[in-house]
Amino acid sequence: MIALDELPMATLVVDTDRVVTAANDLAGELLAWSPADLVGRSISDLVAPLAEGIQLPSWAVSWHPSALLRSVRRLPEHDVAVHTGDGGAARCRVSGRYRRGPDGDLLGAVLALRPADPRGHSELSAIEVVSTVSHELRSPLTSVKGYTSLLLNRWDRVPDEQKREMLLQVHHDADRVTRLVTELLDISRLETGRLHLRRQLVDLVAVAGRVLDKVGLEYDGLDCTVELPEGFPRVYADPDKVEQVLTNLVENAAKYGNRAGMAISGSLGDGLVAVAVHDQGEGIPAGDLPRVFTKFFRRDLGKPTGTGLGLWISRGLVEAHGGRLTAESTVGEGTTFRFTLPTDAFDKLLEHYDT
């Protein structure tokens, strides 16, 4: 294991109470404390607002809301002022990663500090997002531009049936762009804890039907059965987010699995409903399975498409509802993605109003 003093950046390790448990020499130099004097200090005692009226990042005064989402690992970067050992203050950029146990339970965080650059460089993950999404936007926007230009310039020469096909493609590409923009917004909201769920009673059977109708338009030969039990309970959730999650899972199965023999199944137990998407594809190797929920991961199978963000976002959306999204796979047989949602959320809401 690499020692803290081998790291090239000032680093603090904090526990679940946000108390420093370890610091390297670079942190001591930057903050004008000895590493031993930093140990035992609360982050809230070290970090100060940059100016009057500017709020501290929420992790400095209490854990960031994204700490509740097991799939979120990164703490967003912030400009802060840090109290130094010589009685002054140092302006720093602070970023970090949550430390989590095998089940995603919060163990603390590792914080990296660097002197704030007045020119303000963007962080690497933002560059990766822009680069990836820009590439994905290019194809649908080129298609929209081409078809609309053709229709505007040769409207009278294009047969009606061909016009309809072109407009359907433009409509499909516009939906694709909208979805990419939604993914960008979801990344920001999940990582900053600002995701707002518009909950209402959701019929999962109806959601599954809409998802298959939509995905079937894009993937020819899609044959997926819905095996949700009769009387399958409705859940109190955000219908758009639930549909987004199920769409991601079905599209993922259609892209990498066998489009025939797919199934959406459901089960009920322990205050949760579970919805699973099964495919009969080649399966996911054991070494790749833990990585499928990480950002930008795309399996090296065929010609990977998409941003590699869908499963990461889906897990965050499910966990924001209080559920879990997991995957299991057998090479040569297929893969199952399963998410759970609590069935008692609506009951708790009624209890709140009753009191």
Side-chain angles (χ1 to χ4, degrees), residues 43 47-49 54-62 64 76-81 94:
I43 285 295
V47 178
I54 296 181
Q55 291 186 339
L56 287 173
S58 55
W59 53 261
V61 291
S62 62
H64 193 272
E77 191 172 51
H78 291 278
D79 258 324
V80 296
V94 183

Side-chain angles (χ1 to χ4, degrees), residues 104-178:
D105 297 330
L106 184 67
L107 302 178
V110 178
L111 303 177
L113 301 85
R114 59 182 175 85
D117 187 339
R119 294 170 295 178
H121 292 297
S122 299
E123 52 189 328
L124 179 60
S125 64
I127 296 173
E128 291 175 327
V129 172
V130 171
S131 175
T132 303
V133 175
S134 295
H135 177 76
E136 290 298 318
L137 284 172
R138 187 177 297 116
S139 177
L141 290 178
T142 300
S143 172
V144 169
K145 179 66 175 177
Y147 282 127
T148 54
S149 178
L150 180 61
L151 290 171
L152 286 170
N153 292 307
R154 300 187 180 183
W155 180 266
D156 294 333
R157 304 182 206 174
V158 179
D160 288 346
E161 184 59 31
Q162 194 173 352
K163 288 177 184 174
R164 175 176 173 79
E165 291 177 2
M166 290 180 180
L167 289 173
L168 284 173
Q169 185 61 46
V170 168
H171 181 74
H172 169 75
D173 289 331
D175 282 344
R176 185 175 168 188
V177 171
T178 299

Side-chain angles (χ1 to χ4, degrees), residues 252-276:
N252 197 66
K255 186 186 304 181
Y256 294 109
N258 188 340
R259 297 176 190 175
M262 288 172 52
I264 300 174
S265 66
S267 59
L268 177 66
D270 297 328
L272 297 169
V273 296
V275 177

Side-chain angles (χ1 to χ4, degrees), residues 147-217:
Y147 282 127
T148 54
S149 178
L150 180 61
L151 290 171
L152 286 170
N153 292 307
R154 300 187 180 183
W155 180 266
D156 294 333
R157 304 182 206 174
V158 179
D160 288 346
E161 184 59 31
Q162 194 173 352
K163 288 177 184 174
R164 175 176 173 79
E165 291 177 2
M166 290 180 180
L167 289 173
L168 284 173
Q169 185 61 46
V170 168
H171 181 74
H172 169 75
D173 289 331
D175 282 344
R176 185 175 168 188
V177 171
T178 299
R179 183 172 176 185
L180 286 168
V181 172
T182 300
E183 285 185 347
L184 283 176
L185 292 173
D186 283 338
I187 292 171
S188 172
R189 290 165 180 163
L190 285 169
E191 289 192 330
T192 59
R194 293 181 300 184
L195 181 71
H196 177 62
L197 298 178
R198 295 175 174 83
R199 294 180 185 261
Q200 61 189 64
L201 285 174
V202 178
D203 183 345
L204 293 172
V205 177
V207 170
R210 289 198 301 271
V211 167
L212 291 182
D213 288 342
K214 178 171 57 177
V215 178
L217 295 175

